[in-house]
């Protein structure tokens, strides 16, 4: 991999020399300024929702959410680990609210709790990975924030198409996980 990076950097420097450094440098500075502005725009969204997730955890509502979602989580993940189920429910709630980056810490903790030490991914870990990849979102706050910061006149028009596409992909993906698990059990 280091060879690939070396050749990419070498090609970039070569193009920089022949294309004209002043054009490339001005574009790099402009793009970095745009990147910083975007980060500042998204910072407010993430602060609010991460704060809400922290309040959920500190107030004990995350345990209540885990109990509320426990029938669904037990059916989907086939897991009786209460601690893992708590983190899975927080992860799913974060994804439903469209906070993929905020869902990452709880997803990592859930994966750690689901690890049985065998070195192989369990059914529950695979299911969590698939559901996170589908990213079920009812309220895509990050995308709405991006559209708003880009000057969209109707940044919330994506809510219904997002819900439909997320539900369809999630149902399809979960069905595939159950199907492949059944095939794997039959082979054994």
């Amino acid at each position: 991999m280091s060879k690939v990076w070396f050749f990419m950097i070498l090609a970039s420097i070569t193009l920089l020399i022949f294309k004209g450094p002043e054009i490339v440098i001005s574009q790099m500075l402009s793009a970095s300024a745009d990147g910083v502005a975007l980060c500042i725009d998204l910072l407010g969204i993430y602060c609010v929702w991460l704060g809400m997730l922290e309040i959920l955890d500190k107030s004990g509502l995350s345990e209540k959410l885990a109990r509320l979602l426990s029938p669904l989580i037990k059916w989907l993940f086939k897991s009786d680990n209460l601690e893992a189920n708590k983190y899975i429910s927080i992860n799913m709630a974060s994804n439903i609210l469209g906070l993929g980056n905020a869902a990452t810490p709880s997803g990592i903790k859930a994966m750690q709790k689901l690890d049985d030490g065998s070195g192989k991914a369990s059914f529950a870990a695979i299911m969590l990975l698939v559901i996170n990849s589908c990213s079920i979102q009812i309220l895509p706050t990050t995308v709405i924030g991006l559209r708003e910061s880009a000057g969209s006149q109707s940044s919330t028009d994506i809510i219904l198409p997002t819900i439909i596409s997320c539900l369809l992909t999630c149902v399809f993906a979960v069905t595939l996980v159950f199907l492949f698990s059944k095939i794997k059990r039959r082979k054994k």
Side-chain angles (χ1 to χ4, degrees), residues 70-137:
S70 70
L72 176 66
I73 290 172
K74 283 183 182 182
W75 178 76
L76 276 176
F77 296 94
K78 313 273 190 244
S79 171
D80 291 327
N81 185 334
L82 295 176
E83 193 71 19
N85 291 353
K86 175 182 130 181
Y87 289 122
I88 289 170
S89 64
I90 292 171
N91 177 270
M92 290 177 72
S94 299
N95 276 326
I96 287 170
L97 294 173
L99 303 167
N101 290 340
T104 302
S106 57
I108 291 170
K109 288 179 184 176
M111 283 290 196
Q112 289 170 343
K113 298 294 181 187
L114 293 171
D115 185 16
D116 59 2
S118 68
K120 294 182 180 179
S122 65
F123 175 83
I126 292 169
M127 185 62 79
L128 181 60
L129 181 67
V130 166
I131 288 176
N132 272 301
S133 297
C134 294
S135 186
I136 301 171
Q137 293 184 10

Side-chain angles (χ1 to χ4, degrees), residues 9-177:
I9 291 170
L10 185 65
S12 299
I13 291 171
T14 305
L15 285 172
L16 177 69
I17 292 169
F18 290 113
K19 274 300 248 186
E22 64 280 347
I23 296 171
V24 175
I25 291 173
S26 69
Q27 289 299 317
M28 284 174 32
L29 292 174
S30 172
S32 63
D34 291 345
V36 169
L38 178 62
C39 288
I40 291 171
D41 287 342
L42 292 177
L43 185 64
I45 294 169
Y46 281 115
C47 286
V48 167
W49 289 109
L50 285 171
M52 292 296 287
L53 288 174
E54 188 67 23
I55 291 170
L56 272 174
D57 199 33
K58 297 280 187 195
S59 67
L61 288 175
S62 60
E63 283 86 14
K64 290 178 183 175
L65 180 62
R67 272 187 255 129
L68 179 69
L69 292 175
S70 70
L72 176 66
I73 290 172
K74 283 183 182 182
W75 178 76
L76 276 176
F77 296 94
K78 313 273 190 244
S79 171
D80 291 327
N81 185 334
L82 295 176
E83 193 71 19
N85 291 353
K86 175 182 130 181
Y87 289 122
I88 289 170
S89 64
I90 292 171
N91 177 270
M92 290 177 72
S94 299
N95 276 326
I96 287 170
L97 294 173
L99 303 167
N101 290 340
T104 302
S106 57
I108 291 170
K109 288 179 184 176
M111 283 290 196
Q112 289 170 343
K113 298 294 181 187
L114 293 171
D115 185 16
D116 59 2
S118 68
K120 294 182 180 179
S122 65
F123 175 83
I126 292 169
M127 185 62 79
L128 181 60
L129 181 67
V130 166
I131 288 176
N132 272 301
S133 297
C134 294
S135 186
I136 301 171
Q137 293 184 10
I138 292 176
L139 187 61
T141 55
T142 303
V143 177
I144 291 171
L146 286 170
R147 289 174 52 106
E148 192 68 35
S149 68
S152 174
Q153 296 298 317
S154 52
S155 57
T156 58
D157 283 352
I158 60 161
I159 292 176
L160 183 61
T162 300
I163 292 171
I164 292 169
S165 65
C166 289
L167 287 176
L168 288 175
T169 57
C170 188
V171 167
F172 182 70
V174 167
T175 303
L176 284 178
V177 171

